[in-house]
Amino acid sequence: MSDAAPFDAVIRGDIVLSDRVLRDGYVAIRGETIAAIGEGVSPPAKASMDHSGKYVLPGLVDGHMHTSSSRGWPGIRGASMSAAAGGVTTCVDMPYDVPRPVTDASILAEKVEHVNRLSHVDMALYGTITKTGGIDAIAGLAEAGVCSFKLSTYEYDAVRFPRIDHPTMVAAFREIAKTGLMVAVHNEDQEIVVRLTEEAKAAGNTSPIWHCRTRPPLCETMADLEIFEIGLETGAHVHIAHSSLARGFEIAEVFRNMGGKASGEACIQYLCMTEEDIVRLEGFGKCNPPFRTAEEVARVWDSLAAGKVAYVSTDHAPWPRDRKTYTGDIFTVGAGLTGMQSFAPLMYTLLSERSLPVTMMARYCAERPAKFHGLFPRKGAIRIGADADFLVLETGEFTFDAADIQDEEDARWSPYDGRRMAARVAATYLRGACIWDGKQVLAKPGTGRFVPRQHNGTYVGEE
């Protein structure tokens, strides 16, 4: 094409919007943004990328991952490679970093500098507060561009991942409400978990299934009720960071009906993994909340089909392999799964197994997380004016191989290793540039950018 061509590039394929699929359609790009969408003959462009016969979805927005919880900010580099290979073009990264969580605007600025230097994909960032005395930093974090806040009802570490007591949580929610931002909460009741864990250890019950037994459904729903009550009192938009239970989504709906701003997300493992899987996977199946029963997985799917789930995320946490290896005591193993590189193939597979449309993936793994985190309309959808971020999915018979994970060698493990997949990620585009060609990550560290929250509007799932 001549330099007079109106568009810089055109991508062809089956274009997946949140409500329909444009068969043999096209998306035209000018600069880094989407300039036209259509069906039929492509308009003239300087470059053409033909993915005919494959799905072209919006780049996924993974609303929940921990790039730096075990490796510190250098972990951004490897985790964002996994994202690129998995069709995740925007990561929403949690604030519980080693050695310092993101508790004020100056720490956020340092992390942003690392994102802009190390990341292969775009990244939005959560902020949090210190265990005591951190309320005054909330406004500054919001002004500096965090997309959301994260607090916890359960303590993993007094500095990095503290439990926030009720009076402090009330004060924090009240301050967060002024910003219009969402506050997500790690939802497990500390007293129940601590007591059951002590009793299990004392009885010598340290096999993998006891991870599930010491974190029963009640410890989740107790925490859900607490945080939503505080949200109702303070006017904050309160969000369950991960509900393994359909009841969590039902409780959120009850509070919305009472006038509260309440929501909850499902991580993809709660759509496919059961208690039998932790027995099989041992430490490599340990996450919090834990896997539930097959019956509960079916109920979570019912919640998703009924529109009660905010969005689907991965809670990606790439612990080094030695921190996940079970040697007789499940309680000493790190909690968290790898999931970004398997996210798109697995979500497509789970939908296809249930004869559900691929449009649900565009909605629940891209558009809605972007809306909840204030990144829409720039991120999350194939629409004119949005960043030209795309995931190209090739359908067929594939097997997920953890050895193919793009990350540090000791992060190449997966609970989905060896699983049959009905699709693979054939290409990923970030702001119009191909960053994954189906075999290797083409982006360099620093290709990704920090994406600040785009506005202060509150979205709780209403269409």
Side-chain angles (χ1 to χ4, degrees):
M1 293 294 172
S2 73
D3 288 343
F7 298 111
D8 293 319
V10 166
I11 293 179
R12 289 202 70 89
D14 293 338
I15 311 299
V16 182
L17 309 178
S18 61
D19 60 347
R20 66 192 187 283
V21 178
L22 305 180
R23 297 285 174 189
D24 196 23
Y26 66 82
V27 181
I29 301 164
R30 191 177 285 125
E32 296 188 337
T33 57
I34 295 169
I37 304 162
E39 293 174 280
V41 179
S42 299
K46 295 171 189 172
S48 179
M49 290 82 89
D50 189 354
H51 295 291
S52 296
K54 300 181 180 73
Y55 287 118
V56 178
L57 291 101
L60 301 193
V61 178
D62 190 348
H64 187 153
M65 82 280 309
H66 300 261
T67 66
S68 307
S69 289
S70 65
R71 301 168 197 269
W73 293 334
I76 291 167
R77 181 183 174 279
S80 65
M81 285 181 72
S82 296
V88 176
T89 51
T90 306
C91 293
V92 184
D93 198 41
M94 286 294 171
Y96 295 128
D97 303 331
V98 173
R100 293 178 304 158
V102 181
T103 52
D104 62 45
S106 66
I107 298 174
L108 176 70
E110 285 186 61
K111 186 171 183 179
V112 167
E113 187 272 326
H114 279 77
V115 168
N116 290 336
R117 190 161 48 81
L118 296 175
S119 189
H120 297 79
V121 300
D122 286 351
M123 198 168 282
L125 299 175
Y126 266 93
T128 188
I129 62 171
T130 50
K131 190 174 171 80
T132 56
I135 309 295
D136 292 346
I138 287 170
L141 281 164
E143 287 164 18
V146 296
C147 65
S148 305
F149 287 90
K150 172 82 178 280
L151 307 181
S152 183
T153 59
Y154 180 87
E155 186 156 299
Y156 290 93
D157 181 279
V159 174
R160 191 182 70 79
F161 203 136
R163 174 184 180 267
I164 303 300
D165 65 39
H166 292 159
T168 307
M169 197 170 272
V170 172
F173 281 19
R174 196 161 272 135
E175 195 64 25
I176 292 167
K178 296 176 190 173
T179 70
L181 274 59
M182 179 172 90
V183 54
V185 183
H186 181 102
N187 55 319
E188 292 181 295
D189 182 90
Q190 175 126 349
E191 288 183 30
I192 292 176
V193 174
V194 168
R195 178 67 60 83
L196 291 179
T197 302
E198 287 171 349
E199 290 174 354
K201 285 180 175 177
N205 293 323
T206 60
S207 65
I209 194 62
W210 283 92
H211 178 62
C212 300
R213 297 288 176 265
T214 54
R215 300 178 115 87
L218 183 63
C219 82
E220 255 189 84
T221 52
M222 292 260 295
D224 295 341
L225 290 163
E226 289 173 6
I227 64 177
F228 287 144
E229 282 289 351
I230 298 173
L232 202 60
E233 172 72 19
T234 58
H237 172 192
V238 180
H239 176 83
I240 304 172
H242 29 43
S243 186
S244 70
L245 307 167
R247 182 150 164 70
F249 305 115
E250 291 160 7
I251 292 171
E253 185 178 43
V254 166
F255 277 85
R256 286 198 298 277
N257 290 338
M258 290 192 289
K261 301 184 184 98
S263 57
E265 76 195 63
C267 303
I268 195 164
Q269 54 265 32
Y270 306 128
L271 293 172
C272 60
M273 291 297 204
T274 69
E275 291 182 339
E276 285 73 28
D277 289 303
I278 197 172
V279 174
R280 173 177 63 88
L281 293 164
E282 297 180 337
F284 294 96
K286 179 179 174 179
C287 61
N288 294 330
F291 301 156
R292 304 296 183 192
T293 62
E295 293 78 15
E296 192 60 52
V297 169
R299 287 192 285 268
V300 172
W301 273 103
D302 290 343
S303 297
L304 184 63
K308 295 179 182 182
V309 177
Y311 56 85
V312 179
S313 66
T314 66
D315 198 0
H316 178 81
W319 288 98
R321 193 182 281 105
D322 64 348
R323 289 285 286 111
K324 295 294 292 176
T325 303
Y326 169 72
T327 56
D329 184 353
I330 194 64
F331 300 113
T332 64
V333 176
L337 311 175
T338 64
M340 269 200 291
Q341 196 163 322
S342 51
F343 190 18
L346 181 58
M347 190 68 192
Y348 179 82
T349 302
L350 297 175
L351 290 169
S352 65
E353 285 171 356
R354 289 161 180 79
S355 301
L356 292 169
V358 69
T359 50
M360 284 184 70
M361 193 163 152
R363 189 177 311 124
Y364 285 97
C365 305
E367 184 174 302
R368 284 174 66 97
K371 285 182 172 179
F372 273 87
H373 289 287
L375 308 175
F376 187 87
R378 181 177 165 188
K379 297 294 188 183
I382 297 177
R383 60 195 304 283
I384 292 171
D387 283 359
D389 299 343
F390 308 106
L391 150 67
V392 180
L393 266 190
E394 175 186 356
T395 60
E397 285 287 327
F398 304 97
T399 301
F400 189 78
D401 186 347
D404 295 334
I405 288 176
Q406 304 294 303
D407 201 337
E408 306 292 337
E409 195 286 324
D410 65 359
R412 289 180 193 147
W413 56 269
S414 169
Y416 311 110
D417 186 35
R419 194 192 199 283
R420 186 196 73 83
M421 297 287 186
R424 74 174 195 97
V425 180
T428 306
Y429 293 85
L430 178 67
R431 292 180 265 108
C434 185
I435 61 169
W436 167 256
D437 64 3
K439 296 186 181 68
Q440 60 183 337
V441 175
L442 304 178
K444 299 286 185 282
T447 301
R449 298 177 192 154
F450 169 61
V451 183
R453 191 178 175 94
Q454 303 294 293
H455 56 78
N456 290 337
T458 302
Y459 175 81
V460 292
E462 71 283 352
E463 299 300 341

